[in-house]
């Protein structure tokens, strides 16, 4: 799923780290008799099964809302009169927001309390879903997707709530929550098309948004609160976050306008210069920050830099077909000469099997890594992803062609490669560095996915037919071929990925 920047392997490790933390000290006495004192044993602070149930339901609902736009992207594109490159900005905004803001929000949750942060996130997501539902223009829809993109941090915020409530059960609770987010993404993909067709695009966003709002009200009463100690504050790298966002925004805008502006236009060159300036400034700030958003020193480690590069290329490679297939399926064959003329409901049904396979493959990959080593599994996942993209390049005229390609790219290939990458990087660093190392890999994959979506949109926009004003079949083939190349290139550095290449007996 595009909106999912959370993987089960790093999430599980994060849970292990939380479980090993010492329990929170008792809060200080109330400053006045009228202020209640919530101790860990008080009813307001004590965790119950209701806590987990409310958190699980909230995570499922948010996961569903995050993944809903993609199957209906051709419908949104038609209703708002967008080009493929402009429509891709919706998915890109969602992904980039999650990648850039997740580390900062996670730190806020640690410092300010999980319940407060989680509720603030939930209401931001409600605002974003409402804006997306009633948006009648591209800027309004982009703002809605930006607010929804904050939902990527719901899982780390939920982990903080669980750690505060019952650290002794963290491993089980983490598995439940990460599974719920993944399941929510699958539910969103499966339900978005039918909702858009049966009701409308507005209700596709509004229905899950209302569910999130209702659960946020329940969570306010059901979740335990933690007393925040005076003097405890988050050291946030605001300059680093702003510069990284500026760097990525200039890259995305340049890609979006490239088909109209060309390579030699003033706008293209100016944005390129701005990208270089912002990027260099970001590196300078991060290397000198006391508590950087991205610890670039960690990239100096052999296993971390290689895993981050592979994750970024994998993210770009698998999102290209994931964006192109809904466009291809929706193409009217009578006009374009290819495509299926599929409705949003049909697009959802095509996409869902690959996601279902990824849900199952993730846990099984861990067992495979133990037998053959993470490097071999990463290489195999890359080859499977490339195979699916090559199949789509050569054959895309029958439903089984599409299903097979999606199963190989978004299901087997991406599922095995990403899980093995995280497993290898976790095994290669000290426990204290697990969060930083996996965050680097996760951010790399999120940025790669954002760029992959926009590059795919630029390719098919540049190849628009002057007669039909629709993308050509050759444009789709070029996109699928690029996807295969992007995931095959990292094979050259797989030997640097951490993890034994020998089977574990």
């Amino acid at each position: 799923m595009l909106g999912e920047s959370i993987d089960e392997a790093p999430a599980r490790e994060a849970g292990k780290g939380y479980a090993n933390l010492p329990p929170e000290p008792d809060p200080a006495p109330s400053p006045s008799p009228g202020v209640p004192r919530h101790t860990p044993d008080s009813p307001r602070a004590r965790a119950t099964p209701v806590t987990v149930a409310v958190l699980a339901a909230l995570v499922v609902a948010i996961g569903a809302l995050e993944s809903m736009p993609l199957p209906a992207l051709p419908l949104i594109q038609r209703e708002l009169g967008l080009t493929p490159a402009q429509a891709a900005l919706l998915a890109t905004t969602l992904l980039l927001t999650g990648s850039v803001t997740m580390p900062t929000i996670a730190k806020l949750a640690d410092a300010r309390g999980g319940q407060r942060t989680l509720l603030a996130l939930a209401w931001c997501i409600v605002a974003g879903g409402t804006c997306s539902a009633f948006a009648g223009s591209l800027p309004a829809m982009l703002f809605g997707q930006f607010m929804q993109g904050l939902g990527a941090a719901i899982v780390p915020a939920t982990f903080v709530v669980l750690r505060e409530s019952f650290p002794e059960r963290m491993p089980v609770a983490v598995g439940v929550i990460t599974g719920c987010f993944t399941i929510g993404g699958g539910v969103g993909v499966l339900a978005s098309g039918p909702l858009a067709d049966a009701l409308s695009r507005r209700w596709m966003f509004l229905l899950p948004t209302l569910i999130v709002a209702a659960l946020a009200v329940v969570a306010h009463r059901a979740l335990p609160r933690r007393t925040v100690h005076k003097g405890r504050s988050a050291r946030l790298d605001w300059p680093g976050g702003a510069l990284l966002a500026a760097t990525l925004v200039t890259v995305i805008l340049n890609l979006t306008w490239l088909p109209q502006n060309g390579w030699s236009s003033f706008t293209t060159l100016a944005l390129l210069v701005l990208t270089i300036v912002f990027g260099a400034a970001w590196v300078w700030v991060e290397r000198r920050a006391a508590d950087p958003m991205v610890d670039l020193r960690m990239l100096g480690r052999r296993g971390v830099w290689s895993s981050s590069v592979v994750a970024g290329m994998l993210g770009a490679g698998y999102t290209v077909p994931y964006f192109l297939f809904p466009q291809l399926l929706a193409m009217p064959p009578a006009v374009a000469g290819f495509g299926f003329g599929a409705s949003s409901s049909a697009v959802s049904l095509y996409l869902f099997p690959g996601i279902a396979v990824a849900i199952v493959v993730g846990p099984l990959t861990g067992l495979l890594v133990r037998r053959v080593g993470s490097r071999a599994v990463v290489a195999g996942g890359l080859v499977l992803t490339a195979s699916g993209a090559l199949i789509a390049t050569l054959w895309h005229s029958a439903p089984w062609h599409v299903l097979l390609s999606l199963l190989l790219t978004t299901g087997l290939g991406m599922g095995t490669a990403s899980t093995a990458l995280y497993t290898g990087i976790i095994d290669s660093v000290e426990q204290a560095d697990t969060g930083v190392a996996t965050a680097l890999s996760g951010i790399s994959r999120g940025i790669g996915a954002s760029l992959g979506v926009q590059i795919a949109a630029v390719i098919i926009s540049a190849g628009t037919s002057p007669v039909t004003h629709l993308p050509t079949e050759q444009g789709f083939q070029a996109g699928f071929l690029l996807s295969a190349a992007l995931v095959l290139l990292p094979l050259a550095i797989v030997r640097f990925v951490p993890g034994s290449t020998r089977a574990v007996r």
Side-chain angles (χ1 to χ4, degrees):
M1 288 140 293
L2 283 179
E4 100 268 300
S5 356
I6 305 297
D7 288 88
E8 293 188 12
R12 239 182 260 117
E13 288 299 320
K16 292 177 183 177
Y18 290 147
N20 291 330
L21 289 176
E24 291 286 343
D26 288 342
S30 299
S32 64
V35 180
R37 181 175 182 266
H38 299 303
T39 66
D41 296 325
S42 67
R44 191 71 183 93
R46 188 186 303 122
T48 67
V50 175
T51 303
V52 179
V54 171
L55 289 173
L58 189 59
V59 168
V60 169
I62 292 174
L65 182 59
E66 296 293 279
S67 62
M68 279 192 163
L70 186 67
L73 208 54
L75 174 65
I76 297 172
Q77 186 176 321
R78 291 195 301 270
E79 290 190 357
L80 297 183
L82 307 177
T83 66
Q86 291 173 330
L89 279 175
L90 302 179
T92 300
T93 300
L94 190 74
L95 288 165
L96 283 183
T97 302
S99 298
V100 173
T101 62
M102 190 188 301
T104 299
I105 294 174
K107 289 182 180 180
L108 281 173
D110 280 330
R112 304 294 175 85
Q115 190 247 23
R116 294 174 61 186
T117 306
L118 186 142
L119 290 177
L121 276 179
W123 288 114
C124 285
I125 294 164
V126 168
T130 303
C131 183
S132 297
F134 292 97
S137 64
L138 178 61
M141 184 66 79
L142 287 175
F143 177 75
Q145 292 302 288
F146 166 78
M147 296 297 289
Q148 283 184 230
L150 298 173
I154 195 71
V155 173
T158 302
F159 289 161
V160 175
V161 175
L162 293 173
R163 182 195 65 189
E164 294 166 353
S165 303
F166 42 92
E168 72 282 356
R169 298 181 182 178
M170 274 300 293
V172 175
V174 165
V176 170
I177 295 302
T178 52
C180 285
F181 192 82
T182 306
I183 291 170
V187 170
V189 168
L190 187 60
S192 60
L195 281 175
D197 288 337
L199 300 175
S200 66
R201 167 180 64 87
R202 177 171 298 174
W203 278 103
M204 181 192 75
F205 286 106
L206 204 55
L207 186 59
T209 298
L210 292 174
I211 294 174
V212 173
L215 289 170
V217 173
V218 174
H220 179 72
R221 302 295 303 172
L223 299 184
R225 292 177 182 172
R226 186 191 74 179
T227 301
V228 181
H229 303 292
K230 291 183 178 180
R232 183 172 183 174
S233 60
R235 300 174 64 184
L236 304 178
D237 181 20
W238 294 113
L243 287 170
L244 178 59
T247 303
L248 296 174
V249 166
T250 52
V251 172
I252 297 301
L253 288 177
N254 216 352
L255 288 173
T256 304
W257 295 333
L258 190 59
Q260 292 80 27
N261 295 333
W263 288 98
S264 58
S265 70
F266 173 79
T267 302
T268 300
L269 296 176
L271 285 173
L272 180 60
V273 171
L274 283 176
T275 299
I276 295 172
V277 170
F278 286 140
W282 175 71
V283 172
W284 187 86
V285 167
E286 293 301 276
R287 290 178 65 88
R288 287 160 178 77
D291 192 9
M293 173 186 171
V294 178
D295 190 352
L296 296 179
R297 291 168 296 184
M298 183 69 70
L299 286 176
R301 301 188 182 183
R302 169 175 166 172
V304 177
W305 76 260
S306 56
S307 296
S308 298
V309 171
V310 174
M313 298 294 283
L314 176 66
Y318 96 86
T319 52
V320 169
Y322 203 63
F323 171 79
L324 289 180
F325 271 122
Q327 302 285 329
L328 175 66
L329 291 167
M331 292 293 291
V335 179
F338 66 101
F340 298 83
S343 64
S344 297
S345 299
V347 172
S348 290
L349 292 175
Y350 274 104
L351 295 178
F352 181 73
I355 295 172
V357 169
I359 293 173
V360 175
V361 161
L364 296 179
T365 300
L367 299 175
L368 186 60
V369 167
R370 288 181 60 84
R371 294 191 61 85
V372 301
S374 57
R375 291 177 194 154
V377 178
V378 169
L382 293 174
V383 171
L384 285 172
T385 305
S387 299
L390 289 173
I391 288 173
T393 304
L394 300 173
W395 302 287
H396 45 263
S397 58
W400 72 269
H401 295 159
V402 176
L403 287 172
L404 177 60
S405 178
L406 283 169
L407 286 173
L408 290 173
T409 54
T410 62
L412 290 171
M414 188 275 295
T416 56
S418 61
T419 303
L421 275 173
Y422 280 117
T423 302
I425 199 171
I426 288 168
D427 290 341
S428 70
V429 298
E430 298 295 332
Q431 183 174 350
D433 295 326
T434 296
V436 176
T438 55
L440 281 170
S441 188
I443 291 172
S444 297
R445 199 182 99 171
I447 293 173
S450 304
L451 295 175
V453 168
Q454 207 61 44
I455 291 171
V458 168
I459 289 174
I460 61 174
S461 295
T464 299
S465 168
V467 177
T468 63
H469 302 291
L470 294 171
T472 63
E473 187 174 10
Q474 289 74 23
F476 283 96
Q477 289 175 312
F480 290 129
L481 190 61
L482 173 65
S483 171
L486 286 173
V487 292
L488 286 177
L489 284 174
L491 288 175
I493 61 171
V494 163
R495 67 180 182 275
F496 299 115
V497 170
S500 173
T501 57
R502 296 177 298 177
V504 178
R505 302 298 182 187

